[in-house]
Amino acid sequence: MDTSGDKTLILLRHAKSDWPDGVNDHDRPLGGRGNREAPAAGRWLVEQGLYPDMILCSDAVRTRQTCTWVCSELGEKAPTPYLDSRLYEADATRALAVINETEERVRTLMVVGHMPWVQDLGMRIASVDSDEEAVVSMAERYPTLGLQVFKVPGEWASLDGRDARMTHFVVPRP
Protein backbone atom coordinates (compact mmCIF):
# COMPACT_ATOMS: atom_id res chain seq x y z
CA MET A 1 0.00 0.00 0.00
CA ASP A 2 1.32 3.43 -0.96
CA THR A 3 1.48 5.48 2.23
CA SER A 4 2.97 8.57 0.59
CA GLY A 5 -0.43 9.90 -0.36
CA ASP A 6 0.63 10.22 -3.98
CA LYS A 7 -1.90 9.57 -6.70
CA THR A 8 -1.02 7.57 -9.81
CA LEU A 9 -1.39 8.71 -13.42
CA ILE A 10 -1.09 6.17 -16.24
CA LEU A 11 -0.75 7.49 -19.81
CA LEU A 12 -1.26 4.85 -22.50
CA ARG A 13 -0.87 5.26 -26.25
CA HIS A 14 -3.29 3.10 -28.24
CA ALA A 15 -2.11 -0.18 -29.79
CA LYS A 16 -1.08 -0.53 -33.45
CA SER A 17 -3.88 0.59 -35.74
CA ASP A 18 -4.87 -0.15 -39.30
CA TRP A 19 -5.91 2.30 -42.01
CA PRO A 20 -8.41 0.56 -44.28
CA ASP A 21 -9.41 2.27 -47.53
CA GLY A 22 -12.21 4.77 -47.15
CA VAL A 23 -11.95 5.02 -43.35
CA ASN A 24 -11.29 8.42 -41.79
CA ASP A 25 -8.68 8.82 -39.05
CA HIS A 26 -11.18 8.92 -36.17
CA ASP A 27 -12.70 5.59 -37.24
CA ARG A 28 -9.44 3.68 -37.78
CA PRO A 29 -9.57 0.31 -35.99
CA LEU A 30 -6.76 -1.65 -34.43
CA GLY A 31 -4.84 -3.83 -36.84
CA GLY A 32 -4.09 -7.50 -36.29
CA ARG A 33 -0.92 -6.73 -34.34
CA GLY A 34 -2.76 -4.18 -32.19
CA ASN A 35 -5.46 -6.68 -31.30
CA ARG A 36 -2.82 -9.27 -30.41
CA GLU A 37 -0.70 -6.89 -28.32
CA ALA A 38 -3.22 -4.62 -26.57
CA PRO A 39 -4.12 -7.12 -23.81
CA ALA A 40 -0.45 -7.07 -22.73
CA ALA A 41 -0.90 -3.55 -21.34
CA GLY A 42 -3.69 -4.78 -19.09
CA ARG A 43 -1.64 -7.78 -17.97
CA TRP A 44 1.31 -5.49 -17.14
CA LEU A 45 -0.96 -3.28 -15.01
CA VAL A 46 -2.29 -6.34 -13.15
CA GLU A 47 1.28 -7.62 -12.58
CA GLN A 48 2.19 -4.23 -11.08
CA GLY A 49 -0.98 -4.11 -8.96
CA LEU A 50 -2.11 -0.95 -10.78
CA TYR A 51 -5.88 -0.82 -11.05
CA PRO A 52 -7.34 2.49 -12.26
CA ASP A 53 -10.20 4.03 -10.30
CA MET A 54 -11.08 5.96 -13.44
CA ILE A 55 -10.26 5.63 -17.13
CA LEU A 56 -10.46 8.53 -19.58
CA CYS A 57 -10.31 7.44 -23.20
CA SER A 58 -10.27 9.30 -26.49
CA ASP A 59 -13.44 8.53 -28.42
CA ALA A 60 -11.51 7.35 -31.51
CA VAL A 61 -12.12 3.72 -32.48
CA ARG A 62 -8.50 2.57 -31.97
CA THR A 63 -8.27 4.02 -28.44
CA ARG A 64 -11.66 2.55 -27.50
CA GLN A 65 -10.59 -0.87 -28.76
CA THR A 66 -7.28 -0.66 -26.87
CA CYS A 67 -9.18 0.33 -23.73
CA THR A 68 -11.55 -2.63 -24.16
CA TRP A 69 -8.62 -5.06 -24.33
CA VAL A 70 -6.99 -3.50 -21.24
CA CYS A 71 -10.25 -3.62 -19.29
CA SER A 72 -10.75 -7.27 -20.21
CA GLU A 73 -7.43 -8.04 -18.50
CA LEU A 74 -8.30 -5.90 -15.45
CA GLY A 75 -11.44 -8.00 -15.07
CA GLU A 76 -13.86 -7.11 -12.29
CA LYS A 77 -11.56 -4.32 -11.09
CA ALA A 78 -11.92 -2.39 -14.35
CA PRO A 79 -13.96 0.80 -14.05
CA THR A 80 -16.31 1.81 -16.82
CA PRO A 81 -14.23 4.00 -19.14
CA TYR A 82 -15.33 7.56 -19.82
CA LEU A 83 -15.02 8.53 -23.49
CA ASP A 84 -13.87 12.11 -23.94
CA SER A 85 -13.89 13.58 -27.45
CA ARG A 86 -11.48 16.32 -26.33
CA LEU A 87 -8.67 13.75 -26.17
CA TYR A 88 -8.89 13.10 -29.92
CA GLU A 89 -6.65 15.52 -31.83
CA ALA A 90 -5.68 17.15 -28.52
CA ASP A 91 -2.35 18.70 -27.75
CA ALA A 92 -0.59 18.24 -24.42
CA THR A 93 -2.19 21.37 -22.95
CA ARG A 94 -5.73 20.23 -23.78
CA ALA A 95 -5.10 16.68 -22.54
CA LEU A 96 -3.70 18.10 -19.29
CA ALA A 97 -6.77 20.33 -18.90
CA VAL A 98 -8.97 17.21 -19.13
CA ILE A 99 -6.83 15.48 -16.47
CA ASN A 100 -7.01 18.60 -14.28
CA GLU A 101 -10.80 18.13 -14.06
CA THR A 102 -10.42 14.77 -12.28
CA GLU A 103 -12.07 14.54 -8.87
CA GLU A 104 -9.69 14.18 -5.93
CA ARG A 105 -11.33 10.92 -4.81
CA VAL A 106 -9.70 9.30 -7.88
CA ARG A 107 -6.39 7.87 -6.69
CA THR A 108 -5.33 6.09 -9.91
CA LEU A 109 -6.24 7.58 -13.28
CA MET A 110 -5.53 6.00 -16.66
CA VAL A 111 -5.75 8.09 -19.83
CA VAL A 112 -5.75 6.37 -23.24
CA GLY A 113 -4.74 8.62 -26.10
CA HIS A 114 -2.63 9.44 -29.12
CA MET A 115 0.69 10.72 -30.32
CA PRO A 116 2.02 13.32 -30.13
CA TRP A 117 0.27 14.48 -26.98
CA VAL A 118 0.97 11.38 -24.85
CA GLN A 119 4.70 11.91 -25.33
CA ASP A 120 4.53 15.71 -25.12
CA LEU A 121 2.52 15.53 -21.89
CA GLY A 122 4.96 13.04 -20.39
CA MET A 123 7.84 15.39 -21.16
CA ARG A 124 5.93 18.32 -19.68
CA ILE A 125 4.98 16.77 -16.35
CA ALA A 126 8.03 14.56 -15.63
CA SER A 127 9.76 15.98 -12.55
CA VAL A 128 13.52 16.12 -11.99
CA ASP A 129 13.28 13.18 -9.58
CA SER A 130 11.75 10.93 -12.25
CA ASP A 131 13.37 7.65 -13.24
CA GLU A 132 15.96 8.93 -15.72
CA GLU A 133 16.04 5.78 -17.84
CA ALA A 134 12.24 5.83 -18.18
CA VAL A 135 12.18 9.50 -19.23
CA VAL A 136 14.99 9.07 -21.76
CA SER A 137 13.36 5.95 -23.27
CA MET A 138 10.02 7.74 -23.57
CA ALA A 139 11.62 10.84 -25.08
CA GLU A 140 13.66 8.91 -27.66
CA ARG A 141 10.92 6.63 -28.96
CA TYR A 142 7.25 6.31 -28.09
CA PRO A 143 5.81 3.31 -29.96
CA THR A 144 2.24 2.13 -29.98
CA LEU A 145 1.12 0.72 -26.62
CA GLY A 146 3.76 2.80 -24.83
CA LEU A 147 2.73 3.22 -21.21
CA GLN A 148 3.94 5.82 -18.70
CA VAL A 149 3.33 5.73 -14.95
CA PHE A 150 3.62 8.83 -12.77
CA LYS A 151 3.29 9.53 -9.07
CA VAL A 152 1.36 12.76 -8.57
CA PRO A 153 1.91 14.37 -5.14
CA GLY A 154 -0.60 17.22 -5.42
CA GLU A 155 -4.14 17.73 -6.56
CA TRP A 156 -5.17 16.76 -10.09
CA ALA A 157 -6.23 20.36 -10.68
CA SER A 158 -2.73 21.67 -9.92
CA LEU A 159 -0.80 19.21 -12.14
CA ASP A 160 1.00 21.44 -14.62
CA GLY A 161 4.67 20.92 -15.34
CA ARG A 162 7.64 19.08 -13.85
CA ASP A 163 5.49 18.08 -10.89
CA ALA A 164 4.89 14.34 -11.35
CA ARG A 165 7.53 11.66 -10.84
CA MET A 166 7.73 9.18 -13.73
CA THR A 167 8.37 5.73 -12.34
CA HIS A 168 7.92 3.61 -15.48
CA PHE A 169 7.92 3.74 -19.24
CA VAL A 170 7.20 0.35 -20.76
CA VAL A 171 5.97 -1.10 -24.01
CA PRO A 172 4.17 -4.27 -22.95
CA ARG A 173 4.23 -7.09 -25.49
CA PRO A 174 2.69 -10.55 -25.32
Side-chain angles (χ1 to χ4, degrees):
M1 175 102 181
D2 184 14
T3 58
S4 69
D6 288 353
K7 292 181 289 294
T8 302
L9 173 63
I10 302 161
L11 298 178
L12 176 63
R13 181 182 179 195
H14 63 79
K16 183 71 175 165
S17 61
D18 195 4
W19 202 316
D21 288 340
V23 174
N24 68 33
D25 184 67
H26 186 272
D27 296 332
R28 289 172 46 209
L30 292 182
R33 186 177 115 197
N35 281 305
R36 286 189 304 276
E37 293 178 349
R43 283 193 296 276
W44 187 87
L45 292 171
V46 169
E47 289 166 5
Q48 303 303 310
L50 290 172
Y51 294 93
D53 301 314
M54 181 178 186
I55 299 174
L56 296 173
C57 183
S58 160
D59 67 347
V61 170
R62 60 193 176 275
T63 49
R64 292 182 354 228
Q65 290 175 329
T66 300
C67 190
T68 298
W69 281 116
V70 170
C71 287
S72 72
E73 294 297 322
L74 296 174
E76 293 177 1
K77 293 186 177 185
T80 300
Y82 175 75
L83 300 180
D84 195 314
S85 61
R86 296 174 295 173
L87 295 173
Y88 176 71
E89 293 188 337
D91 60 14
T93 299
R94 177 174 292 196
L96 181 56
V98 172
I99 292 167
N100 290 152
E101 296 172 1
T102 304
E103 295 179 18
E104 284 307 304
R105 64 176 175 74
V106 174
R107 303 303 296 170
T108 301
L109 172 65
M110 183 169 82
V111 185
V112 185
H114 308 269
M115 282 293 279
W117 73 254
V118 289
Q119 184 180 41
D120 293 346
L121 182 56
M123 294 300 297
R124 176 175 174 170
I125 66 173
S127 66
V128 296
D129 61 341
S130 293
D131 180 284
E132 184 177 350
E133 185 177 327
V135 173
V136 169
S137 287
M138 180 270 297
E140 288 180 344
R141 183 173 174 270
Y142 203 117
T144 53
L145 212 60
L147 186 150
Q148 303 170 73
V149 179
F150 294 89
K151 292 297 180 182
V152 179
E155 296 179 351
W156 293 116
S158 64
L159 183 61
D160 183 34
R162 302 283 178 252
D163 48 359
R165 182 173 50 88
M166 183 189 287
T167 59
H168 296 84
F169 175 71
V170 296
V171 183
R173 298 292 186 224

